[in-house]
Amino acid sequence: MNNLSKYYNDYDELGRLSRTKSQEMEYLTTLHALEPLLKEIRSIADIGAGAGKYAFHYANRGFNVIAVDPVSKHVDQMKAEAALTKMKLEVVKGDARNLDFLENESQEAALLLGPIYHLRNESERRSSIAEVNRILKPDGFVAVAYINKHFLASALLKNAPQFLSSSNLKSLSERGILGDDTEDEFLSVSYYSNPEEVEELIESCGFSIIDHLAVDGLSPLLHNSIDSLNEEQFQAWFEHHLSFCREKSILGYSNHGLVLARKTAKQIL
């Protein structure tokens, strides 16, 4: 986790989801997807909460939220914001692979909106999903975000062609990672998957898929056009985006995907 902490110590995660209209697409779509599932629950565990964008949103709405993150900078930011706003939010420095500070079947919902694409080993990804299964009450649900490997290839072509090589693209396609010696800090600590791989992982850990969305589509590649829209145009585009973000053709090429799944069985590693 040292490389991950180093990356986020130099990165403004707090503003990532709201700096521009194109970046806000991911946040707004995620909130939209979660809303129907929140009507009858009170507790949410935000695992890999980053600087707390979602945690504070739901705590402000009265949910009992525990925000967990392995990066000290993020933990300090969340604690400072909670103290400043006097918001009720429990903040814990912790790792998605081991949530032993949370009791079995103690949470009604879990957000896993970052860990999967920073766990480069399959056994670690399985451990994180299994831990979420353990802490969820029967019939609880989880939201799992991932970064699409096919989008990344196009992003490299457009923004970082120095990483385009046969070996890198083969590794990305077959293993979901670029080499550990890549010069880019984010690429070196990230894992990329496709929609089918993520669904298979989640289902194998005792969950049933209930929804699957492309939360930002190609927004990062189209950011100049989206960011130039006025508010009325942006709202029209966002509503159009919501109408097609579940199509398989869009899921297969979106930057971030989001899987919503309900616990159906206990998971034993």
Side-chain angles (χ1 to χ4, degrees), residues 114-176:
I116 290 300
Y117 56 78
H118 284 311
L119 295 174
R120 290 158 67 89
N121 184 285
E122 182 179 359
S123 66
E124 293 180 325
R125 294 190 291 274
R126 290 187 62 83
S127 292
S128 68
I129 301 293
E131 275 292 80
V132 165
N133 183 298
R134 179 185 64 78
I135 67 171
L136 281 178
K137 294 181 178 181
D139 207 38
F141 77 87
V142 63
V144 180
Y146 64 95
I147 300 179
N148 196 311
K149 64 174 66 173
H150 303 305
F151 173 89
L152 180 68
S154 296
L156 292 178
L157 176 64
K158 182 175 186 291
N159 301 317
Q162 68 270 27
F163 296 120
L164 289 179
S165 67
S166 295
S167 60
N168 270 351
L169 291 175
K170 179 179 175 66
S171 178
L172 175 64
S173 177
E174 296 180 355
R175 301 166 57 215

